[in-house]
Amino acid sequence: MRKLPRAVTSLVLASVALVVVPSAIARQAEQPEPQSAKIWVGRAAEIEDYMRTAKVIKIAKVPVGVTNPRRAYLEPGGPVESIAFKPIAPGIYGGFWESYKAEIAAYEIDKLLGLEMVPPKVEKRVEGELGAAVMWATPTKSFKEFGGTGAPKPPAQYFAKFNRALIRAKMFDNLVGNIDPNLGNWLVDPAWNLILIDHSRALTDGKKLYHAMAHIDAGLWEKMQALTEEQLKAAVGKWIGGREIRALLERRKKMADEIDKLVKLHGADAVFVK
């Protein structure tokens, strides 16, 4: 086959590009936006109220989860089809302190921070049992369901968004002392939003940080630093005690120490994501 001169070849490629690129853009424009499972953003109070008051019409066992949650379907017509119901009375289970109240406290702290990663949770009585009703976030897929041993790899267009979400999630887990951030508890929806569930083992009096932090979301850290003991008591004092709130503040101090070390080693520009 006879080769075209370089100048002619470039011209042909340029011409093809003029035809192909607009077509590709048109096809991309036709693609529907991926579905977000974070339907509670901007309407959390409405969803909380519905979960708290709606009648349960059916209950099904959930095949995953060490705390044996149940999926409770609510009467139709509301903003939420179903909830995960977790009637975990405060106590030690399998060597770990767990409580449905910690579930609700973690959600309330998410709201204080404007994180919008923890789905709505309220106290509810179902079939005589008192527990946490957690909005069933769908459609989602857990990290475990993606396979592998860590975070799934998002498409290129979602990489920056998802990477920042991972940074924020690790910071939140460290603050609330979540000792169980396993691959089944971090969920991803089709829009590559990160959703955090299962905080029944969080918010104890432990001081340990469970995630190593390499980068810090500057805005979230500013909000974490602004939290006061009085503010936390007002928001979560119904769900956890003063000792647990003071432990959260101790964990924040540890986070501050770790962040100071990172900045000294790498510089603020390399550590803080803005």
Side-chain angles (χ1 to χ4, degrees), residues 21-232:
V21 171
S23 299
I25 292 173
R27 286 196 301 271
Q28 187 174 2
E30 293 171 0
Q31 293 293 325
E33 287 294 319
Q35 187 176 356
S36 170
K38 294 171 66 172
I39 64 167
W40 69 87
V41 176
R43 55 191 301 208
E46 172 197 357
I47 290 174
E48 289 173 25
D49 185 62
Y50 184 72
M51 292 197 307
R52 191 180 291 113
T53 59
K55 181 181 178 181
V56 172
I57 58 173
K58 184 177 72 170
I59 297 178
K61 290 183 178 180
V62 177
V64 294
V66 296
T67 57
N68 299 314
R70 285 165 267 170
R71 185 172 185 176
Y73 291 84
L74 306 178
E75 57 188 334
V80 176
E81 179 195 37
S82 62
I83 58 173
F85 181 62
K86 306 184 74 174
I88 308 169
I92 297 176
Y93 302 86
F96 298 99
W97 177 267
E98 301 202 41
S99 170
Y100 81 84
K101 295 183 179 183
E103 292 275 8
I104 301 170
Y107 169 60
E108 293 297 333
I109 292 170
D110 171 286
K111 288 200 295 184
L112 281 180
L113 297 170
L115 187 66
E116 296 179 340
M117 283 189 178
V118 180
K121 303 178 183 182
V122 299
E123 187 177 54
K124 188 177 181 70
R125 189 175 295 277
V126 177
E127 295 184 339
E129 291 185 289
L130 199 58
V134 184
M135 193 198 92
W136 194 279
T138 187
T140 58
K141 192 175 179 180
S142 71
F143 282 19
K144 184 177 181 180
E145 290 172 313
F146 277 95
T149 57
K153 184 178 179 180
Q157 68 266 35
Y158 296 112
F159 181 81
K161 167 187 174 178
F162 190 62
N163 188 55
R164 186 165 187 169
L166 290 172
I167 292 169
R168 290 162 67 84
K170 290 177 182 179
M171 292 171 64
F172 180 73
D173 265 1
N174 279 343
L175 184 72
V176 302
N178 184 16
I179 70 171
D180 191 28
N182 66 64
L183 298 180
N185 296 339
W186 289 26
L187 311 179
V188 181
D189 69 13
W192 284 88
N193 292 309
L194 181 55
I195 296 170
L196 309 177
I197 61 170
D198 198 353
H199 297 92
S200 62
R201 294 180 181 177
L203 292 162
T204 66
D205 59 359
K207 312 294 195 305
K208 184 177 178 180
L209 304 182
Y210 286 86
H211 292 288
M213 300 179 297
H215 296 92
I216 301 299
D217 184 286
L220 179 59
W221 181 233
E222 185 177 339
K223 290 178 180 179
M224 287 181 172
Q225 287 181 301
L227 293 174
T228 65
E229 186 171 353
E230 292 72 24
Q231 186 182 19
L232 288 164

